[in-house]
């Protein structure tokens, strides 16, 4: 994997270019995911999947609202580069919450990208920190840095959360099923992306698979392995196990390699709609996978 190479310089103009470029890739990652079709249970160009309260246009408006915050995450990561990693999240969170507020304003209160903001915010801040410290910028280093920002997060917000009456879906599902959700993935350094989804996507591309088919196949890999709290919140443990087994079975049959395989995804989509299951957490991890794949191509010198 080719790292983003860096040479020392004090040029503000190239820094601005760097921030703008990475932000644009993060924005395009959200569009690449939501426009990808057909995705089982998720919102796409064909339908709203298992969702009754959101459609493609909501995601486009939401992504536009988030776009303006992406440079802020990178800049905060750069500004806080001298802080200990464990102190970064405290400063990053208010920016994430303000970005969430803009997302909810753009969607009239619907949760389109809450998980995506959390993950993209962490990764963008990690990129800003690595850039400021003149480090190489690889997917592994980015995710390790995000993990270091989140050290102790699941313990603080999930394990030690007994007395909080106002539990989020993630906190409730941790108590019920032990799922650590978006926090657990981040604190572990996005292992599902780094060890499974990203190598899978890159291998498919290297084999010459059409990029959209490669991304759909990668979504199946994520669905087969992720303890997605959105799926569990809608379908319980049995819904989550069903979805994982269904994705595994499709992968065993060869996955999505050619256009004729798409009929399997259409069937899977109808079954998810019938069962009211949507893998929003997998969609977020797919956004990150696409984003990191682009970042690893970007050969930047400053
Ligand atoms: C730390 C937060 C993520 C807190 O969130 P919460 O306690 O609610 O935690 P989770 O439920 O665990 O996760 C929240 C969202 O994360 C996505 N997600 C779920 N599982 C995973 C996973 N295994 N790995 C990664 N990401 C995961 C998921 O987001 C997506 O789905 C949402 C749409 O689904 P939908 O079914 O419609 O959901 P609802 O509308 O909520 O319910 P329904 O009524 O419709 O059924 C969409 O948001 C996708 O993005 C989970 O929803 C974080 O929110 C937080 O603390 N934020 C503050 C800002 C911050 O800290 N920022 C710091 C860095 S910038
Ligand atoms: N396409 C999508 N459908 C539903 N939830 C999502 N969260 C992120 N992308 C999504």
């Amino acid at each position: 994997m080719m790292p983003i190479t860096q040479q020392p310089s004090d040029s503000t103009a190239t820094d601005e270019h760097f921030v703008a470029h990475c932000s644009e890739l993060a924005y395009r990652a959200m569009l690449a995911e939501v426009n990808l079709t057909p995705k089982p249970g998720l919102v796409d160009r064909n339908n709203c999947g298992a969702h009754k309260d959101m459609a493609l246009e909501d995601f486009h408006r939401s992504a536009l609202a988030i776009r303006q915050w992406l440079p802020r995450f990178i800049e905060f990561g750069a500004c806080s580069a001298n802080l200990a990693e464990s102190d970064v999240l405290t400063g990053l969170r208010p920016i994430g919450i303000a970005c969430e507020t803009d997302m909810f304003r753009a969607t009239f209160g619907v949760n389109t990208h809450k998980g995506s903001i959390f993950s993209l915010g962490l990764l963008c801040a990690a990129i800003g920190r690595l850039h400021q410290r003149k480090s190489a910028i690889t997917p592994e280093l980015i995710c390790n840095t995000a993990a270091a920002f989140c050290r102790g997060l699941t313990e603080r917000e999930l394990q030690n959360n007994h007395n909080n009456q106002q539990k989020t879906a993630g906190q409730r599902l941790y108590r019920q099923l032990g799922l650590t959700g978006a926090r657990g993935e981040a604190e572990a350094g996005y292992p599902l992306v780094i060890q499974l989804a990203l190598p899978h996507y890159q291998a498919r591309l290297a084999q010459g698979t059409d990029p959209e088919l490669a991304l759909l196949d990668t979504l199946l890999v994520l669905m087969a392995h992720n303890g997605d709290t959105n799926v569990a919140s809608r379908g319980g443990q049995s819904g989550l196990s069903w979805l994982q087994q269904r994705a595994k079975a499709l992968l065993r049959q060869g996955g999505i390699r050619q256009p004729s395989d798409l009929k399997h995804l259409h069937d899977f989509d109808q079954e998810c709609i019938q069962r009211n299951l949507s893998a929003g957490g997998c969609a977020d991890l797919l956004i990150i996978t696409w984003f990191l794949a682009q970042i690893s191509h970007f050969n930047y010198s400053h």
Side-chain angles (χ1 to χ4, degrees):
M1 205 170 289
M2 195 188 301
I4 298 175
T5 54
Q6 310 217 19
Q7 287 142 22
S9 152
D10 55 6
S11 162
T12 312
T14 41
D15 281 354
E16 278 172 17
H17 170 74
F18 176 79
V19 172
H21 186 81
C22 293
S23 304
E24 191 58 19
L25 288 179
Y27 168 64
R28 281 175 44 205
M30 289 186 276
L31 297 185
E33 179 276 312
V34 77
N35 291 333
L36 186 71
T37 304
K39 294 190 299 291
L42 293 160
V43 174
D44 61 24
R45 291 198 310 267
N46 277 352
N47 60 37
C48 303
H51 295 270
K52 295 180 181 64
D53 58 353
M54 54 194 183
L56 190 67
E57 299 70 37
D58 297 301
F59 277 90
H60 288 170
R61 281 202 311 277
S62 168
L64 262 182
I66 295 166
R67 186 187 205 175
Q68 61 187 329
W69 289 95
L70 296 165
R72 301 279 300 277
F73 293 125
I74 301 174
E75 283 157 10
F76 183 80
C79 294
S80 58
N82 289 332
L83 293 183
E85 285 150 331
S86 55
D87 290 337
V88 171
L89 192 58
T90 316
L92 192 58
R93 265 207 148 144
I95 307 175
I97 290 166
C99 176
E100 262 180 30
T101 305
D102 265 0
M103 172 203 81
F104 280 120
R105 192 176 297 127
T107 61
F108 308 101
V110 177
N111 174 11
T112 39
H113 279 125
K114 184 167 132 182
S116 323
I117 293 170
F118 178 71
S119 297
L120 281 178
L122 286 168
L123 297 188
C124 284
I127 287 171
R129 182 180 180 91
L130 292 169
H131 176 71
Q132 184 69 23
R133 293 165 78 100
K134 312 227 180 292
S135 159
I137 301 180
T138 65
E140 291 79 3
L141 284 171
I142 296 168
C143 290
N144 286 343
T145 305
F149 294 160
C150 293
R151 197 155 295 136
L153 188 64
T154 49
E155 189 182 349
R156 282 197 306 279
E157 296 189 7
L158 298 179
Q159 290 168 24
N160 298 338
N161 200 262
H162 309 301
N163 300 328
N164 181 359
Q165 299 301 307
Q166 297 259 298
K167 287 192 176 41
T168 64
Q171 288 163 340
R172 192 168 40 77
L173 287 160
Y174 176 75
R175 298 221 65 194
Q176 288 170 357
L177 303 176
L179 297 174
T180 55
R183 295 179 184 81
E185 259 308 293
E187 186 171 357
Y190 293 99
L192 287 176
V193 173
I194 292 294
Q195 288 164 28
L196 282 178
L198 184 58
H200 186 87
Y201 179 53
Q202 289 176 323
R204 281 281 186 275
L205 291 180
Q207 288 160 5
T209 306
D210 169 83
E212 293 232 333
L213 296 179
L215 205 55
L216 286 166
D217 200 53
T218 304
L219 175 62
L220 283 183
V221 170
L222 287 167
M223 290 172 94
H225 295 96
N226 184 24
D228 192 313
T229 54
N230 287 111
V231 180
S233 143
R234 286 160 173 257
Q237 179 61 60
S238 63
L240 180 59
S241 300
W242 174 82
L243 186 116
Q244 290 178 331
Q245 292 313 317
R246 186 73 174 81
K248 276 183 188 153
L250 274 182
L251 288 166
R252 269 197 305 272
Q253 287 166 28
I256 311 300
R257 289 171 187 263
Q258 47 208 9
S260 59
D261 295 326
L262 293 179
K263 69 177 186 315
H264 301 304
L265 286 184
H266 286 291
D267 293 345
F268 193 6
D269 189 25
Q270 286 310 311
E271 293 162 24
C272 287
I273 293 170
Q274 241 166 26
R275 291 168 187 254
N276 189 35
L277 297 180
S278 167
C282 294
D284 287 344
L285 296 178
L286 195 68
I287 290 174
I288 293 177
T289 303
W290 191 92
F291 177 56
L292 292 176
Q294 305 307 312
I295 289 281
S296 65
H297 290 314
F298 175 41
N299 197 351
Y300 175 72
S301 308
H302 76 158

